[in-house]
Amino acid sequence: MRRVLRILFNVATVVSLVLCVVTMAAWVLSYQARDFFSWTQADRRLRLVAETHRHGLAAGVFVPVGTGGRLLPPEARWKYTAPKSYAQTVGSQGTFFKRFGFVFEYSENGAFALRQLACPYWFIMLLTTILPAARLAAWRRRARRLSLHPTVCRHCGYDLRATPDRCPECGTVLKAKGG
Ligand SMILES: [Zn+2]
């Protein structure tokens, strides 16, 4: 169980790091062009959209509303257009959060409803940096502790002065030193 958790923790760290790098790339590329992605579910009752702006990422979900029974356009596409300012989507007016570039809005036009989520790239990068940075700090702390105290378990840091062959805490068997 402990091993499974450690693997999941490592996977989460790597995924977090990859997302951080992808976000940074999207941020840089958003100055060259605007990526627009949309995908409609087969029954045309759900459409996902995502677009990159110069300062942030916006994503939304469309669903049909009302009695007209209109369905969403059947499309899945990825296109590039001229870069677009984030303010054009987010707007500089509104609540405290909106002025800082955070959007969570619901709107409808009679036929379709849109739930939109938008946030600045720096925020995504901040969130995805936390776990890798914490792991790096812990790793450096452990490396430092091992260099200062060679009599602790390399695996869990338990004091091994009384039991130099096997760690009583995590069970790691240690190689006998010298001959
Ligand atoms: Zn140990």
Side-chain angles (χ1 to χ4, degrees):
M1 193 61 202
R2 213 162 163 179
R3 189 158 167 260
V4 173
L5 283 177
R6 200 167 63 233
I7 291 168
L8 286 177
F9 200 41
N10 287 343
V11 169
T13 305
V14 171
V15 168
S16 197
L17 199 60
V18 168
L19 282 176
C20 188
V21 172
V22 167
T23 304
M24 191 164 66
W27 193 350
V28 171
L29 292 173
S30 70
Y31 285 81
Q32 311 289 318
R34 163 177 167 256
D35 283 273
F36 176 86
F37 166 79
S38 86
W39 172 82
T40 305
Q41 199 173 272
D43 66 2
R44 296 171 62 190
R45 291 183 186 281
L46 181 84
R47 184 175 173 223
L48 303 176
V49 294
E51 52 188 310
T52 64
H53 297 284
R54 274 204 295 265
H55 298 101
L57 197 68
V61 181
F62 284 93
V63 290
V65 288
T67 52
R70 281 178 63 189
L71 294 174
L72 292 154
E75 60 172 2
R77 62 195 171 125
W78 193 313
K79 68 174 185 181
Y80 302 94
T81 64
K84 199 168 148 189
S85 148
Y86 189 53
Q88 284 174 276
T89 300
V90 176
S92 51
Q93 307 287 307
T95 64
F96 177 79
F97 285 109
K98 203 167 174 180
R99 260 175 290 169
F100 282 93
F102 296 91
V103 176
F104 187 70
E105 273 179 353
Y106 177 85
S107 58
E108 46 177 84
N109 66 2
F112 305 114
L114 167 66
R115 219 175 278 275
Q116 199 183 22
L117 184 71
C119 72
Y121 295 116
W122 66 258
F123 182 70
I124 304 172
M125 287 190 67
L126 184 72
L127 286 185
T128 53
T129 304
I130 293 171
L131 190 55
R135 293 297 295 279
L136 183 68
W139 181 74
R140 287 190 60 176
R141 259 202 314 275
R142 203 175 70 154
R144 188 166 168 273
R145 196 174 55 213
L146 283 175
S147 67
L148 291 176
H149 310 283
T151 54
V152 298
C153 172
R154 292 188 170 270
H155 195 70
C156 70
Y158 194 83
D159 191 332
L160 299 177
R161 273 172 296 188
T163 53
D165 298 331
R166 186 175 179 280
C167 174
E169 182 68 12
C170 70
T172 300
V173 178
L174 299 129
K175 282 171 191 156
K177 275 181 194 166

